[in-house]
């Protein structure tokens, strides 16, 4: 069973930095094509804050929230089942629940690859002013 496990978020002061991590388990890492992060605040749609492919290249650049460009960075470890969201110069409006996300393939019982995507359970980040 595939699971995406996020690190604890927490409270950070405005102007500070925070790094979140995500670890995928139960999934062949060679089958993970893209990995990244979204966030959501109550009453608003979930928004993309960063996505990279398995080679570390940015994906979906145009869909990334303008408010985080230049401040948030997604990167991955050499072991491709782990990736991070580095949040710099955080602002109170960055307060949200952050979700890691991954897209890729899984082999089905017929031996064919199905496109799949998975989400982490969400971790709350609060930025104080």
């Amino acid at each position: 069973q595939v699971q995406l496990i996020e690190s604890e978020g927490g409270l950070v002061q405005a102007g500070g930095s925070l790094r979140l991590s995500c670890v995928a388990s139960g999934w062949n890492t060679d089958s993970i094509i893209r990995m990244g992060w979204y966030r959501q605040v109550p009453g608003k749609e979930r928004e993309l804050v960063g996505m990279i492919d398995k080679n570390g290249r940015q994906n979906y650049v145009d869909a990334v929230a303008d408010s985080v460009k230049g401040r948030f960075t997604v990167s991955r470890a050499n072991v491709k089942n782990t990736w991070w969201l580095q949040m710099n110069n955080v602002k109170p409006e960055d307060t949200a629940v952050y979700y890691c996300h991954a897209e890729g393939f899984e082999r089905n019982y017929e031996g064919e690859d199905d496109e799949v995507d998975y989400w982490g359970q969400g971790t709350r980040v609060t930025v104080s002013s």
Side-chain angles (χ1 to χ4, degrees):
Q1 182 177 359
V2 174
Q3 285 188 303
L4 303 187
I5 306 298
E6 298 147 349
S7 58
E8 289 279 337
L11 178 66
V12 59
Q13 285 192 327
S17 296
L18 184 68
R19 188 170 83 161
L20 303 177
S21 66
C22 184
V23 178
S25 64
W27 199 0
N28 182 342
T29 55
D30 289 333
S31 298
I32 303 175
I33 303 301
R34 295 182 190 83
M35 54 204 77
W37 295 84
Y38 288 75
R39 70 183 182 185
Q40 189 169 25
V41 297
K44 292 189 175 182
E45 291 187 359
R46 195 169 292 189
E47 65 177 0
L48 177 66
V49 296
M51 186 76 69
I52 59 174
D53 66 16
K54 61 182 179 180
N55 295 313
R57 295 172 299 203
Q58 293 187 52
N59 276 204
Y60 305 153
V61 174
D62 291 342
V64 172
D66 288 336
S67 62
V68 306
K69 289 179 179 177
R71 298 188 299 120
F72 288 12
T73 303
V74 178
S75 60
R76 63 165 180 79
N78 288 331
V79 287
K80 298 176 184 177
N81 68 330
T82 302
W83 59 98
W84 302 290
L85 174 66
Q86 178 67 42
M87 308 164 60
N88 295 329
N89 188 24
V90 295
K91 304 175 181 181
E93 51 265 40
D94 294 323
T95 296
V97 176
Y98 286 75
Y99 297 88
C100 67
H101 182 252
E103 303 171 1
F105 298 92
E106 277 188 330
R107 185 66 51 87
N108 62 29
Y109 291 113
E110 297 176 340
E112 299 170 340
D113 287 334
D114 293 331
E115 292 185 12
V116 295
D117 69 292
Y118 292 98
W119 294 90
Q121 76 281 7
T123 187
R124 179 171 298 279
V125 173
T126 302
V127 181
S128 63
S129 56

